[in-house]
Amino acid sequence: MRVLGIETSCDETGIALYDSERGLLADSLYSQVALHERFGGVIPELASRDHIRKTLPLIQEVLDKAGATLADIDGIAYTAGPGLIGALLVGASLGRALGMALEVPTIGVHHMEGHLLAPMLEDTPPEFPFVALLVSGGHTQLVRVDGIGRYRLLGESLDDAAGEAFDKVGKMLGLAYPGGPRVAALAEKGTPGRFEFPRPMTNRPGLEFSFSGLKTAVRNTLAEERVRQHADHGARNMDEQDIDEQTRADIARAFEDAVVQTFVIKCRRALQATGLKSLIIAGGVSANLRLREGLQGMVEKERSRLFYAKPRFCTDNGAMIAYAGCQRLLAGETEGLALDVRPRWPLESLSPLGQGGTR
Ligand code: KG4
Ligand code: ZN
């Protein structure tokens, strides 16, 4: 079965064609980063309008890359939530309309289920059951995964998502949006250990996360450094940019180390609590190299294995939606005529594969 995947939940238009026999045939991504950069974050209305412009040309591009035509599509999967409602509606209405025109089934996919299953696109995919750490711009969750649609939440962030914390710290450091990859790049030049930030909620039991205290610690350290350097140089009107590059890099490194250590501690705890031996990481922040390294070291000590997708399938993409939708369509799932997208949609509310549709 060949399934066209359409991802338009936020600021990336992602399209892919996945074949259940041959794997991923082609994929394309259009990032709106340049469009939103000057606003320091995603402007929902601009995002929706840009998805309208890009989705159809990208579908054509993917078909061309795969040497396929519309007639080769056996099913269509689109992101139905969670995400920005206007952006979701673009992919959903386009996917549904195309499905009706081609007389093929369509399916609305949960964005985080897409992320969670992205490591399945790799040559050595994980086997169920496993523990999943979902770390994106909107979510930070530890989930026990017993199969597709069989998710049990083990813990989640009580405030900011990890990606959000990276983005906010990026802003504090004077970096452009999205801050995550830029903070990571700056941290590479940093001296480990010059600054030390808290590892939030690690000194008490449980699998919950919180990143607001860590963010405040970064803000306070920046303010102290600003005052110190101001006094040292007798300069006026100092802002983040005026703090010397090395100090900014050292702070970025300390922040990244604190996040990575926190995830290492909580993931170890989740593996021990469940007795499972496989950990997968998914979502934008799972592209972070230090996080991968930190978790790799931990799973080796735990005699467990770590799985993740290649970096371009960690952040938003059409391939993960095509894959997840394909599994559900193959299991015979269908959806009603009503077009239903959901800005909020708990992962745990999904039904197990083949048991009565996703909604
Ligand atoms: O999964 P994703 O593409 O979109 C959402 O579903 O939210 O995740 C985007 C998030 C952003 O916050 C971005 O800054 C972060 O992932 N991110 C990173 C890295 N690459 C992307 N954070 C840290 N290190 C990275 N290398
Ligand atoms: Zn995402």
Side-chain angles (χ1 to χ4, degrees):
M1 178 180 228
R2 268 180 306 261
V3 174
L4 181 76
I6 304 176
E7 155 62 37
T8 64
S9 68
C10 190
D11 59 347
E12 242 113 35
T13 317
I15 307 292
L17 190 61
Y18 177 81
D19 185 318
S20 55
E21 304 290 310
R22 293 164 55 207
L24 188 67
L25 300 181
D27 67 292
S28 279
L29 186 81
Y30 178 79
S31 168
Q32 302 179 352
V33 161
L35 179 71
H36 302 292
E37 199 169 345
R38 67 194 165 106
F39 303 106
V42 179
I43 308 293
E45 181 59 21
L46 292 183
S48 313
R49 292 183 204 180
D50 206 55
H51 286 307
I52 293 176
R53 280 191 286 268
K54 296 293 168 3
T55 308
L56 277 178
L58 270 184
I59 292 175
Q60 190 58 57
E61 186 180 304
V62 164
L63 290 175
D64 291 346
K65 273 191 199 171
T69 66
L70 285 173
D72 295 312
I73 297 173
D74 302 313
I76 296 174
Y78 59 88
T79 306
L84 304 172
I85 187 135
L88 289 168
L89 276 169
V90 176
S93 25
L94 235 146
R96 296 291 296 260
L98 199 54
M100 279 181 200
L102 299 175
E103 295 182 4
V104 298
T106 59
I107 193 97
V109 171
H110 191 291
H111 182 79
M112 296 313 292
E113 177 169 84
H115 274 307
L116 197 153
L117 297 177
M120 298 291 189
L121 291 162
E122 298 301 310
D123 293 338
T124 43
E127 281 173 23
F128 301 113
F130 52 72
V131 171
L133 173 69
L134 301 179
V135 273
S136 70
H139 292 77
T140 294
Q141 298 182 321
L142 267 169
V143 184
R144 181 192 165 106
V145 181
D146 286 293
I148 296 180
R150 296 172 65 202
Y151 310 127
R152 195 156 65 77
L153 189 66
L154 302 171
E156 65 183 333
S157 176
L158 304 176
D159 40 60
D160 288 359
E164 202 178 348
F166 263 98
D167 294 342
K168 287 179 181 166
V169 165
K171 225 177 219 177
M172 290 181 213
L173 289 165
L175 303 171
Y177 176 86
R182 293 178 167 99
V183 170
L186 184 62
E188 281 312 297
K189 297 179 219 150
T191 319
R194 176 171 164 208
F195 295 97
E196 189 82 30
F197 293 132
R199 276 74 170 132
M201 302 186 71
T202 51
N203 52 8
R204 55 176 126 155
L207 297 168
E208 247 65 73
F209 303 94
S210 164
F211 292 105
S212 63
L214 177 56
K215 235 172 39 194
T216 308
V218 173
R219 185 176 292 116
N220 291 345
T221 302
L222 274 166
E224 283 162 21
E225 281 304 306
R226 208 170 299 144
V227 170
R228 197 178 61 76
Q229 297 197 1
H230 185 276
D232 285 356
H233 303 122
R236 286 175 192 278
N237 297 327
M238 296 199 74
D239 61 19
E240 294 85 345
Q241 298 281 21
D242 296 321
I243 296 174
D244 74 273
E245 174 81 5
Q246 190 57 50
T247 300
R248 289 167 64 242
D250 295 346
I251 291 174
R253 179 63 194 259
F255 166 76
E256 190 179 47
D257 283 348
V259 173
V260 169
Q261 265 310 308
T262 303
F263 283 135
V264 166
I265 293 166
K266 294 286 162 107
C267 289
R268 183 194 294 125
R269 223 177 257 177
L271 287 175
Q272 289 172 348
T274 56
L276 298 179
K277 291 289 175 198
S278 299
L279 173 69
I280 73 125
I281 49 171
V285 183
S286 69
N288 187 283
L289 292 179
R290 296 235 169 250
L291 178 63
R292 292 175 173 209
E293 273 172 27
L295 289 173
Q296 186 61 45
M298 182 276 286
V299 295
E300 280 167 20
K301 286 191 199 119
E302 293 295 314
R303 297 176 194 282
S304 300
R305 289 183 69 192
L306 179 68
F307 298 87
Y308 41 73
K310 41 177 88 51
R312 73 192 169 100
F313 296 147
C314 288
T315 44
D316 291 350
N317 65 87
M320 66 185 195
I321 302 302
Y323 177 83
C326 184
Q327 306 314 309
R328 289 197 175 268
L329 287 172
L330 281 175
E333 293 188 13
T334 54
E335 53 183 8
L337 277 177
L339 186 77
D340 186 15
V341 294
R342 302 182 175 195
R344 291 181 185 279
W345 188 6
L347 186 65
E348 279 189 297
S349 69
L350 296 186
S351 50
L353 193 66
Q355 291 183 20
T358 50
R359 280 166 288 164

